[in-house]
Amino acid sequence: DEHRAPPPRPASRAASDGGETAGGDKASSEPVTLTVTFAGDCTLGTDINYENERSFNSRWQAEEGDATYFLRNVADLFGSDDLTVVNMEGALTEGGERADKKFAFRGKPEYAKILSSASVEAATLANNHSQDYGQTGYDDTIAALDAEGVQSFGYDRIAYLDVKGVKVALIGSYFPEDSAENTKEMTDNIAAARAEGAQLVIVYVHWGQEHEYDITEGQQTAGRAAIDAGADVVVGSHPHVVQGWEVYQGRYIVYSLGNFCFGGNTNPDDKDCLIFQQTFTVTGDEVAKNDDVDFIAASVSTETDRNTYQPVLAEGDEKARIDAKVQEAADRIAAAS
């Protein structure tokens, strides 16, 4: 996957196509705890020019359309939280015209069942592949996710979800380049969510340099700007590898979770990925600053020499290796700051 010029800006849509419900009585002083889980790039499909017997689509056929195959190793984890959010990268469509780019990803609309079958409730579409099949493909992806009860969001589409009586805003931003304009668009969305009464504001950003383990200055500037603007947590993807994290003003910025259920490569060189989980305590409009977090080491594949498109939690020595890798990346960010 190469970082090309940004896709045409999707047509603006009303905030939250569904799922727009107000939170509970914010005047209540009773604290509410909710656990949110984040995973990285989900490319459910492949490039039609690279179709072969080891592709994502071939695996779907081999499993005879059993959508539960792909995320079965993480389904219990996702099912035990209150909200699971991923990056949906690519189009779920039978139509549209392939964009003129090196890699363009498409899967069948029914692939949305992969997410819903594993309790994934929301997916950002703010990335450099959501328009790989144009506006038609983008709209079809939203419809496919809607049909499975998966709330999509991104760009100007802020999703509002009622989670245990808490009004949660989901904001998705895409940074094809580091710029003040991109940052302002993101912070304006955060302000809009706060104005709509959101109690918990989550920002998922597509940013950074592909295959780079260290963050860019622009990532850090934008991530911190999001927190300053009122975000309670910022998570990122796009580099296809795991990057570090930091705590800024008491809030977590997790710069790249890496790939996840990733049909973009039949055998990625680096199969490490990260699942980030945080339990928030919300009292009225206040979200407590806490370290009730978990960085969960994982791999995109159950096998080391090919992609089985079946993420699995790491164990033993592999878990220790990935944990150390993530910590070292976080230490580098802290040292540079």
Side-chain angles (χ1 to χ4, degrees):
D1 178 20
E2 293 188 350
H3 196 138
R4 298 300 188 188
R9 184 172 181 79
S12 179
R13 291 172 167 268
S16 183
D17 298 347
E20 188 170 359
T21 55
D25 179 9
K26 292 189 291 184
S28 171
S29 60
E30 291 297 316
V32 178
T33 61
L34 59 150
T35 300
V36 185
T37 307
F38 303 92
D41 296 345
C42 291
T43 300
L44 309 182
T46 189
D47 190 305
I48 58 174
N49 295 329
Y50 296 90
E51 182 69 70
N52 60 52
E53 68 278 2
R54 298 181 71 173
S55 73
F56 187 98
N57 295 343
S58 296
R59 172 56 70 176
W60 174 273
Q61 293 171 0
E63 297 300 323
E64 299 179 339
D66 179 8
T68 65
Y69 161 84
F70 297 90
L71 298 182
R72 65 177 48 154
N73 296 319
V74 294
D76 287 346
L77 175 68
F78 292 172
S80 63
D81 65 8
D82 298 301
L83 176 64
T84 301
V85 188
V86 302
N87 174 52
M88 175 62 219
E89 192 153 21
L92 299 178
T93 183
E94 301 279 12
E97 183 176 344
R98 185 188 185 282
D100 183 14
K101 58 195 298 191
K102 185 174 182 179
F103 297 109
F105 300 121
R106 176 169 73 174
K108 297 179 180 180
E110 63 198 275
Y111 290 1
K113 291 182 172 66
I114 294 167
L115 301 181
S116 62
S117 71
S119 300
V120 174
E121 287 90 7
T124 177
L125 302 182
N127 58 62
N128 57 314
H129 287 288
S130 61
Q131 287 236 331
D132 280 357
Y133 280 77
Q135 188 69 40
T136 296
Y138 183 80
D139 291 342
D140 287 351
T141 303
I142 293 171
L145 294 171
D146 279 350
E148 288 301 315
V150 179
Q151 177 67 60
S152 62
F153 63 98
Y155 299 108
D156 291 336
R157 299 176 63 242
I158 304 171
Y160 298 96
L161 303 178
D162 184 326
V163 183
K164 296 174 72 173
V166 173
K167 186 170 185 177
V168 178
L170 297 173
I171 294 169
S173 299
Y174 170 45
F175 279 60
E177 59 186 14
D178 299 330
S179 74
E181 181 182 355
N182 289 330
T183 301
K184 184 177 186 302
E185 179 181 279
M186 176 180 64
T187 56
D188 283 351
N189 281 336
I190 294 168
R194 289 296 183 193
E196 285 291 322
Q199 296 161 268
L200 178 65
V201 176
I202 292 169
V203 178
Y204 201 131
V205 194
H206 209 64
W207 57 6
Q209 296 297 315
E210 292 185 348
H211 312 295
E212 291 291 335
Y213 295 96
D214 289 315
I215 67 171
T216 66
E217 182 180 350
Q219 278 176 276
Q220 186 171 60
T221 299
R224 291 181 170 191
I227 300 298
D228 287 338
D232 296 300
V233 65
V234 178
V235 296
S237 66
H238 179 65
H240 299 299
V241 295
V242 172
Q243 294 180 332
W245 54 272
E246 68 172 331
V247 178
Y248 172 72
Q249 305 288 17
R251 308 296 186 189
Y252 279 79
I253 306 172
V254 184
Y255 284 99
S256 176
L257 300 173
N259 296 325
F260 194 56
C261 189
F262 187 66
N265 191 324
T266 59
N267 188 25
D269 291 335
D270 188 337
K271 297 180 178 63
D272 298 344
C273 61
L274 191 63
I275 298 168
F276 175 66
Q277 193 170 74
Q278 183 165 10
T279 298
F280 299 93
T281 299
V282 183
T283 307
D285 287 327
E286 296 297 319
V287 179
K289 297 177 179 180
N290 66 35
D291 296 306
D292 195 353
V293 301
D294 197 2
F295 294 90
I296 304 168
S299 172
V300 302
S301 175
T302 56
E303 299 183 20
T304 59
D305 62 346
R306 69 185 181 112
N307 193 350
T308 61
Y309 313 106
Q310 192 180 49
V312 60
L313 304 184
E315 298 178 341
D317 291 344
E318 272 296 278
K319 179 182 185 309
R321 180 187 62 78
I322 297 170
D323 285 345
K325 178 180 179 179
V326 174
Q327 186 60 54
E328 288 166 6
D331 290 345
R332 292 195 299 272
I333 293 171
S337 300

